[in-house]
Amino acid sequence: MVWRGLETRDAVRCAELERVLFPGESPWPEQAFREEFAARSTIYVGCEIDGLLVGYAGLGIAGPLRDPEFEVHTVGVDPGFQGRGLGRGLMDVLLAEADRFGGPVFLEVRTDNAPAIGLYESLGFERIGVRRGYYQPSGADAYTMRRAGVGN
Ligand SMILES: CC(C)(COP(=O)(O)OP(=O)(O)OC[C@H]1O[C@@H](n2cnc3c(N)ncnc32)[C@H](O)[C@@H]1OP(=O)(O)O)[C@@H](O)C(=O)NCCC(=O)NCCS
């Protein structure tokens, strides 16, 4: 198993995974991933098994570096490889990066996505609100969740 940063060449596989994982929620196309990987304000990590990318996750940083906030942009694991700790491993990498700077981490998650909510709560995220109809075109609601930063 290899954990590594993601780059342009991974956009095709990430878009393929998105179509499987988020079929009713405007899955990101390749170009969106290329732009995310190229942005200076994002950190992307992936997990490869036998040369195949099976998981990916991205974090955005906003605000001044002395007082930053973070947002989990996406996290997904190939259905054939779920339930083996990869999602937790990907999140651990992103949260370790956020904790180097300090500052809260935010994310949105479908209110009916029990596996993801379970993962996030186990990592210290708390529900702070509901965004009605956040996901499109499904119209599904999202919880906004927040994890306090180191020292706040
Ligand atoms: C959410 C997701 C990334 C988790 O990845 P994963 O590799 O399967 O998760 P892990 O094996 O690391 O499990 C981590 C934790 O998630 C929770 N979890 C995982 N599967 C679960 C399930 N079926 N039911 C409830 N909780 C579950 C548990 O808290 C688990 O911790 P534990 O094993 O210590 O009990 C994966 O299910 C996924 O890709 N889902 C589709 C895409 C998605 O919904 N992404 C999140 C969008 S906000």
Side-chain angles (χ1 to χ4, degrees), residues 10-115:
D10 299 306
V12 172
R13 173 64 177 152
C14 285
E16 182 179 278
L17 286 169
E18 282 264 313
R19 287 193 293 275
V20 175
L21 297 171
F22 303 106
E25 294 162 11
S26 309
W28 285 0
E30 286 171 40
Q31 184 57 22
F33 279 103
R34 283 193 204 97
E35 289 170 12
E36 283 281 299
F37 300 159
R40 298 184 62 172
S41 57
T42 63
I43 295 166
Y44 269 80
V45 62
C47 175
E48 209 175 79
I49 294 179
D50 294 335
L52 179 68
L53 189 72
V54 296
Y56 61 98
L59 183 76
I61 180 170
L65 273 182
R66 59 183 160 70
D67 186 23
E69 288 189 2
F70 300 87
E71 170 93 18
V72 176
H73 285 188
T74 186
V75 54
V77 173
D78 185 321
F81 293 84
Q82 290 179 6
R84 304 183 187 188
L86 300 183
R88 184 179 295 284
L90 291 163
M91 287 295 297
D92 282 346
V93 173
L94 297 187
L95 295 178
E97 285 295 323
D99 288 344
R100 284 176 51 210
F101 297 92
V105 184
F106 295 88
L107 57 78
E108 272 77 34
V109 59
R110 268 180 77 130
T111 55
D112 61 358
N113 191 344

